[in-house]
Amino acid sequence: MTSHIANLFSPKGLDYYQDLTRDMKCSIDVTRDESAAVLKAYDRGVDVLNQDELQLLNSVIAKLKDVIHP
């Protein structure tokens, strides 16, 4: 029973999310700070971001998510 419940909450594979998406162009408005956080994450990796920078990156991801799957 426990393993059955664990399966309900296990992380979904990429295939699950591909079913929710399509090829598309999208556009969002980002702040200068958000842009800097994206560049830092790209250059150095997400693990080096401090809490404020991670919040900025998550804000960009949330904006993209809203365009991709409202």
Side-chain angles (χ1 to χ4, degrees):
M1 180 73 167
T2 304
S3 63
H4 180 48
I5 291 173
N7 288 335
L8 291 175
F9 300 106
S10 62
K12 304 287 187 197
L14 192 59
D15 289 343
Y16 170 82
Y17 294 98
Q18 286 173 335
D19 289 341
L20 302 173
T21 62
R22 65 190 190 294
D23 290 338
M24 63 184 290
K25 290 185 180 189
C26 64
S27 173
I28 60 170
D29 293 324
V30 293
T31 67
R32 186 177 190 179
D33 287 345
E34 289 169 338
S35 297
V38 168
L39 293 177
K40 182 177 179 180
Y42 180 83
D43 284 348
R44 304 300 204 125
V46 175
D47 337 1
V48 303
L49 300 180
N50 66 35
Q51 287 301 318
D52 292 335
E53 294 163 344
L54 188 56
Q55 185 176 4
L56 290 165
L57 182 63
N58 284 333
S59 175
V60 173
I61 293 170
K63 290 176 185 182
L64 285 169
K65 182 269 172 206
D66 287 344
V67 172
I68 294 167
H69 188 67

